[in-house]
Every structure is written in C-alpha cells, then in structure tokens.
Amino acid sequence: MDVFSTGTIGNLEIKNRLVMAPMISNLASPDGNTNEDHIAYLEERARGGYGLIITEYTYVDELNGKGSPNQLGMFSYSQTPKFFRLTERMHKYDSRIFVQLVHSGAKALQGLNTKKIFAPTAMDYMGNVPQTMSIEDIINVQEKFYRAADIAYKSGFDGIELHGAHGYLLEEFISPALNKRDDKYGGSLENRLRIINEMTENIKNYYDIPLGIRLSLYENDPDGYGPDYGLKVGESIRKIDYIHYSAGRFAPPASSAPFYYEHNHIYARLPRRPDKTTILVGSVINAADANEILKKADFVATGREALADPYFPYKLLHGHNPRPCIRCNQDCRRLGLNEVRCTVNIDTGLELYSTIRRNKKLIGEIEIDGAGIKGLEAALYALSLGLKPVIYEENVPGGQINDILEPHKRTEFKALVDYYLNELDRRGITVEKSRGTSGIDCSPDKVYPDIKNMGDVSINTNIYRYFDDALEISKKNTVIINPESLEILERSRREFYIKLAERQGIKFIKQDSYNINIFDKNQYDIRSAMISGRRAVDSYIMENYDELN
Ligand SMILES: Cc1cc2nc3c(=O)[nH]c(=O)nc-3n(C[C@H](O)[C@H](O)[C@H](O)COP(=O)(O)O)c2cc1C
Ligand code: SF4
C-alpha cells in the first residue's frame, strides 16, 4: 500500500490515502451557512489532490452546541442547496467530502449560544461549570445529530464523522476523568460509549454512506487516559466504518503539536494497527512522514500541512517538495476571533482573492535583491506569473531565519528555506552570490535590535525572536521575562517554552520595569515578509506593465 493506492471506507472508494483533516476555519457565515469563501478554501485542497476532505467541526445544535464564531452548522433543511453546492465542487475533482459533526459540550462558548452549556457531568472546565445533562438532554442531542446526518445525506456528503475527540461533548462521555455519571451513560466503558453506540446504530440503519468517529488516542492531561484505552474505545464502538485518531483533551500539546515535538507524534504512541479501517493524523509534513503512517493505518490525514500547502498530494505524486508547515501554531491558531490563516501560505483562507493569476502569463525577467523569505517568496510568485526571477544575495539565503539559534525551531523553520531553494532549483533558478542593487528591494522591512550580546537582561516584549534569544543569553547571564509577554505564543508552544526556559534558569517575573521593552503591534514575521515580497513584485508589474505583457 502506498499513499497513491486506491482505498475504501465502508462501501466508498477513495482515489488515494491522503485526507485533509477537519479544521476549524471560521470561514462560514455568522448564521452557520457555507459560502464562497468557505467553499473556495476547501475546493483548493480538492484541486490539490486530497482523496478525502473532512469539513471542520460542524455544530448540530444551534442552541448550545457552538464552539467558535462563524462555525459551520448543520441544523436546518433550508441549508441543503448551499451544502449541495459545496459537495458538488469537491466532486468536480474526484475528491470525497465528509462532514464532521460536533456538539461542543462544555467547550461551547456561552456567548455564542442562547441555552445554558451542558456536559455529562457538572465539573470545573477551565473556569466554567456546565450543567449536568439529563436523560432528556441526551436524547435531544442525539436527535440533533440525526437531523444533521439526514441533511448531510441529502446534500451529497459522501460520509459522516462524529467528533469524539479533543474534549467536546462525545469525548466528555468517553473520558473517565470527565464522565462521573452513575446512570446508564457512565460508570463502565460500555455505558460511557452508550450515547455513541445508540447513535451509530440509528444512523447506519438509515443511511448507506460511511460513518466514522474521530477519537483522541490519548489525553495529555494529568488525569487523562492513555493510548491503550483510546485503542479500546475505537475497537468497542459498533457500526462504524472507520476510526480517525487524533489526540489530546485540554492540556498541551493537545492535537496540534508545535515544533518542539517529533513528526508523527501520535503514530509513535499508537500501540498497533487497529482492527477497523483507520485514519491517523499528527505532524505529517512530508512524504516520509506520510509513508510511515501507513505502517499502522489505512489513511494519512494532514491538518496544518494542508493549510501550508493545499497541493501536498499533487506534489508528493510528482516527487516535488511541498511547502512545509513549520508547526509554529501562529496564524492558524487564532480561532477565538479570526478566520484561519497560515504563516507560510498567505493565500490560506483567502483563496477566492488569491493574487496568483492562473490564466494570463507575463513575459520577461525580474531582478530581486535579497534572498530572505521576502525575496524567496517574491521569486516564486514572479515565476507563477510567468516572469523569470534573477535573485541576488551576498549572504546565505534565508535571511533572518539563519539567526534562529534554538535547535527545534531552527530545524523546522529552515525546512521552509530549503523548500524555496528546491522549488527554484527545480526551475533552473539559482541565487547569484553578489549584492544586487538594481532589482526590486527585498531586504527585510524591519530588523529588530540585536539583544544577543547583552549581559543580564529583563525582557518585556511580544517579538517572537527574543524568546529564542533569551535562551541563548541565559547560557551565560541572568534572564528575567515578563510572564505576560508570553501571551503572544500559542498555548502549547508557550507551555513547552516555559519548561525549556526554566530548565535554563530563566525566571518569569512581573516587575515594575524591564531593560528591554520592545513591542510591535504589526510584528514583522514570516507571513508579513511574504506579503511584502509579493507586493514588491506587484508594484514592479504595475510600473513595467507594457514591457511585461
Ligand atoms: C486550525 C486548526 C483547526 C482545527 N480544527 C479541528 C476541528 O474542527 N476538528 C477536529 O477534529 N480537529 C481539529 N483540529 C485538529 C486537526 O484536525 C489535527 O488533528 C491536528 O492539527 C494534528 O494534525 P497536524 O499535525 O497534521 O496539524 C484543528 C487543528 C488546527 C490547526
Ligand atoms: S500557521 Fe504555522 S503551524 Fe499553522 S499551518 Fe501555517 S505553518 Fe503550520
């Protein structure tokens, strides 16, 4: 079996083994409907070759099941025409599309819902205490899943995935730490799975499309369950056509591990190949990662890599390197308020307005001065428009990425530079080792002051690079960091960083003043460098429009 062999889930044939994992996009409309922004985002991944695409978690209960703003919802038959448009667009590329159905349980946001939040057991969920569900509540929720399943079936979805992972309602029933019920829905494994087994039985009685469940193989929380229990749960759920393993409940790294963790980190903890068709996810970034997953599973899901490069399958098929997700957990994880974006792919979430022009090609050369991320992105962008870039750089290509000293981050971020150089090399473009002065200026827009050679320091900042510098400085000097500074880092990255920093003697102390106070609301990072690179090319085209057409 390889990633391009045909696979089956239940009675459904899927053209390859590559699955786009369900990911919150917040691209739907405030009323929960799909729209062109949302469809274009998914369609780009279908065009990129994914055999199966699973939508983001989609709420079934409009009264107390919503977990994020602009979340996709499936709760009314008036939605079927637009959903039909969505499924039709995926089928155009011979991709299959499943909907992931969720009730957010205790993780639902009260502000987005009109009815009081509930869970299997009332307990403290990170500061919120939901109501305990009555038997009537359980039956009600099941009815809402059935209604959504019916809408999915009638709208042309090829399959249904129940979201039983990541601390949402169904996982709250599965998790021994969260389910303390003493009725028929708690106590034993059979009882904890009852709400799910009743639903799978009913849904499969009515619909002949594949039905699966997403599960956390393990929870990282101190009172969480381990992989043996996660495997047992998957194998004990009846009437499902597949299990989809992710990981995590609340504690970091939850499901999306940052660059401090190995690739295939969930695969490493799966005890063996499960006895049902299995999809497995977890930091798959390249062909080697994907092939390894198939040793224990039937399908490979990529989450963030599908955001970084929608053409991941296509590139694997043709032996090209995909644009790597650097597992920074920056722009894709601001989902409390924002739509999905990606630090290394500035078109993600904006597919409808992509500046890559697909049809009309320009003619001519463009000189690019500088081969940092800004210049490298400018070069690839110019190529996509038909122009031949000539790149000048007197130093090592990669610009400020080369200054990263922290080894985990350096390895992952350098892969992005390698991606650019490979892509250029493949098209016969090399970087000229000299200082360019007459092309478009691709030197960095901002360079923050270098603090690495300072002695003892106290730091108050939101600039990412200073957190790495602090690790370096602390090897010889005392370093104090304002704990509030760390709010810029995504939760799992933050927690890992704190452990690493404390091991090196860094102290997190709130004090009246710090000798480094550097904040930038519009921080210049990889994504801004890319945007700036494309903008420089666009300005050049505007100025030289006649010669280039
Ligand atoms: C932006 C984002 C949104 C996510 N939303 C969902 C979701 O709606 N449902 C779900 O089951 N998992 C969700 N996840 C978890 C991913 O599906 C996946 O399990 C996780 O990111 C690990 O895979 P990766 O390392 O390939 O990204 C989300 C992850 C990301 C990065
Ligand atoms: S924002 Fe970072 S972690 Fe998220 S998909 Fe993009 S590169 Fe990966």
Side-chain angles (χ1 to χ4, degrees):
M1 182 202 319
D2 70 52
V3 291
F4 291 103
S5 57
T6 306
T8 51
I9 296 185
N11 55 6
L12 183 76
E13 196 167 274
I14 298 176
K15 69 177 174 186
N16 60 41
R17 307 287 172 144
L18 295 167
V19 178
M20 175 181 171
M23 277 177 291
I24 305 172
S25 71
N26 291 347
L27 289 168
S29 303
D31 59 9
N33 280 308
T34 184
N35 55 42
E36 271 303 316
D37 288 328
H38 180 239
I39 295 174
Y41 153 79
L42 292 175
E43 186 177 24
E44 184 72 347
R45 275 78 199 168
R47 192 184 283 119
Y50 280 96
L52 171 62
I53 290 178
I54 306 178
T55 69
E56 62 253 72
Y57 76 158
T58 302
Y59 65 84
V60 297
D61 188 338
E62 68 285 21
L63 300 179
N64 70 349
K66 296 183 210 167
S68 42
N70 290 2
Q71 183 182 355
L72 190 66
M74 197 169 261
F75 54 89
S76 160
Y77 288 93
S78 66
Q79 298 178 289
T80 52
K82 281 282 182 277
F83 274 132
F84 197 77
R85 170 188 283 241
L86 186 158
T87 57
E88 196 175 45
R89 294 269 281 281
M90 303 303 127
H91 294 153
K92 224 168 86 184
Y93 301 93
D94 198 22
S95 291
R96 308 296 194 173
I97 172 92
F98 289 7
V99 62
Q100 186 188 58
L101 298 180
V102 73
H103 189 297
S104 289
K107 281 178 89 176
L109 298 181
Q110 192 63 72
L112 297 174
N113 292 283
T114 50
K115 211 175 117 190
K116 175 87 178 131
I117 304 308
F118 56 41
T121 307
M123 59 171 69
D124 185 6
Y125 278 88
M126 299 186 291
N128 295 322
V129 181
Q131 268 173 0
T132 297
M133 290 174 82
S134 63
I135 297 281
E136 197 190 342
D137 290 331
I138 292 176
I139 294 169
N140 242 318
V141 162
Q142 289 177 320
E143 292 293 338
K144 296 199 168 169
F145 273 99
Y146 301 151
R147 178 180 63 187
D150 195 45
I151 296 170
Y153 185 75
K154 291 179 172 147
S155 307
F157 281 90
D158 301 295
I160 294 166
E161 177 168 294
L162 303 175
H163 195 348
H166 307 161
Y168 295 102
L169 186 79
L170 298 183
E171 208 233 314
E172 290 160 11
F173 275 92
I174 292 169
S175 170
L178 301 179
N179 182 347
K180 302 290 182 197
R181 298 179 74 94
D182 55 12
D183 60 6
K184 64 177 183 169
Y185 292 101
S188 62
L189 176 65
E190 179 65 23
N191 282 356
R192 284 193 288 270
L193 300 186
R194 187 177 306 281
I195 182 172
I196 297 168
N197 277 326
E198 287 173 350
M199 288 202 293
T200 52
E201 173 88 34
N202 276 328
I203 295 174
K204 275 311 265 188
N205 270 347
Y206 278 98
Y207 310 106
D208 56 355
I209 55 174
L211 173 66
I213 187 157
R214 196 157 215 231
L215 296 171
S216 288
L217 178 65
Y218 50 86
E219 300 176 323
N220 302 295
D221 312 70
D223 59 355
Y225 64 76
D228 290 331
Y229 180 81
L231 182 60
K232 199 162 176 195
V233 168
E235 295 187 338
S236 307
I237 296 176
R238 296 186 284 274
K239 299 278 186 166
I240 47 169
D241 298 294
Y242 75 97
I243 318 168
H244 184 175
Y245 277 120
S246 177
R249 189 216 297 166
F250 303 133
S255 61
S256 310
F259 48 71
Y260 297 115
Y261 292 80
E262 294 296 312
H263 291 192
N264 289 0
H265 61 284
I266 303 175
Y267 167 88
R269 296 190 63 190
L270 178 63
R272 60 172 165 76
R273 182 179 279 274
D275 70 0
K276 294 187 173 83
T277 301
T278 300
I279 304 177
L280 187 56
V281 79
S283 297
V284 173
I285 313 290
N286 53 41
D289 297 341
N291 284 319
E292 186 173 40
I293 293 276
L294 292 182
K295 291 184 192 157
K296 288 189 202 163
D298 306 283
F299 291 85
V300 186
T302 66
R304 291 165 294 171
E305 182 53 38
L307 302 179
D309 196 336
Y311 290 77
F312 179 73
Y314 173 87
K315 293 195 178 161
L316 257 49
L317 182 63
H318 293 280
H320 301 159
N321 290 326
R323 182 180 288 248
C325 159
I326 55 175
R327 297 192 298 155
C328 62
N329 284 353
Q330 279 167 213
D331 289 282
C332 67
R333 302 288 333 178
R334 301 197 175 110
L335 298 166
L337 292 172
N338 291 356
E339 294 179 346
V340 68
R341 294 289 184 271
C342 173
T343 305
V344 304
N345 177 355
I346 59 180
D347 293 318
T348 295
L350 296 168
E351 287 71 12
L352 210 51
Y353 319 98
S354 166
T355 47
I356 304 257
R357 283 164 241 187
R358 292 186 196 287
N359 303 321
K360 176 116 176 59
K361 293 283 180 199
L362 302 168
I363 306 158
E365 280 192 354
I366 179 168
E367 286 185 19
I368 293 173
D369 298 338
I373 294 296
K374 178 176 169 184
L376 293 171
E377 176 68 20
L380 276 197
Y381 179 54
L383 269 169
S384 77
L385 304 178
L387 298 176
K388 179 168 184 240
V390 182
I391 315 164
Y392 296 98
E393 171 62 67
E394 55 183 344
N395 298 310
V396 179
Q400 298 184 64
I401 299 274
N402 295 310
D403 299 339
I404 300 173
L405 297 173
E406 200 281 305
H408 300 92
K409 186 171 180 183
R410 188 178 166 82
T411 308
E412 213 82 351
F413 282 43
K414 281 280 280 179
L416 180 64
V417 178
D418 293 343
Y419 157 76
Y420 279 114
L421 296 177
N422 277 326
E423 281 298 285
L424 292 169
D425 184 51
R426 195 161 69 75
R427 292 159 158 117
I429 311 288
T430 48
V431 179
E432 307 289 330
K433 196 162 174 51
S434 66
R435 190 183 164 81
T437 48
S438 56
I440 59 169
D441 177 12
C442 283
S443 55
D445 295 1
K446 288 183 196 172
V447 178
Y448 297 107
D450 190 352
I451 64 165
K452 280 203 283 288
N453 295 323
M454 293 188 72
D456 296 349
V457 282
S458 56
I459 303 174
N460 187 26
T461 189
N462 71 337
I463 309 294
Y464 295 116
R465 60 169 294 176
Y466 290 146
F467 299 114
D468 306 319
D469 290 354
L471 293 173
E472 196 56 26
I473 300 168
S474 70
K475 287 182 182 162
K476 292 196 186 132
N477 299 285
T478 303
V479 177
I480 291 171
I481 298 180
N482 180 357
E484 287 172 8
S485 294
L486 299 176
E487 279 164 22
I488 185 78
L489 299 179
E490 177 268 341
R491 199 163 59 101
S492 55
R493 205 170 133 182
R494 179 168 62 231
E495 299 225 351
F496 198 99
Y497 177 79
I498 291 172
K499 276 193 211 139
L500 198 65
E502 284 180 339
R503 270 208 302 275
Q504 288 195 201
I506 294 177
K507 302 256 180 302
F508 294 93
I509 302 173
K510 191 151 174 44
Q511 51 191 40
D512 290 340
S513 65
Y514 298 85
N515 53 12
I516 293 179
N517 278 289
I518 305 179
F519 282 84
D520 185 351
K521 185 160 180 291
N522 300 312
Q523 178 161 184
Y524 188 64
D525 60 3
I526 289 176
R527 183 179 162 80
S528 13
M530 288 178 180
I531 293 172
S532 179
R534 284 202 195 177
R535 199 179 294 133
V537 174
D538 283 335
S539 310
Y540 176 83
I541 294 168
M542 288 297 280
E543 281 160 24
N544 300 281
Y545 196 74
D546 288 344
E547 294 98 278
L548 301 174
N549 270 282

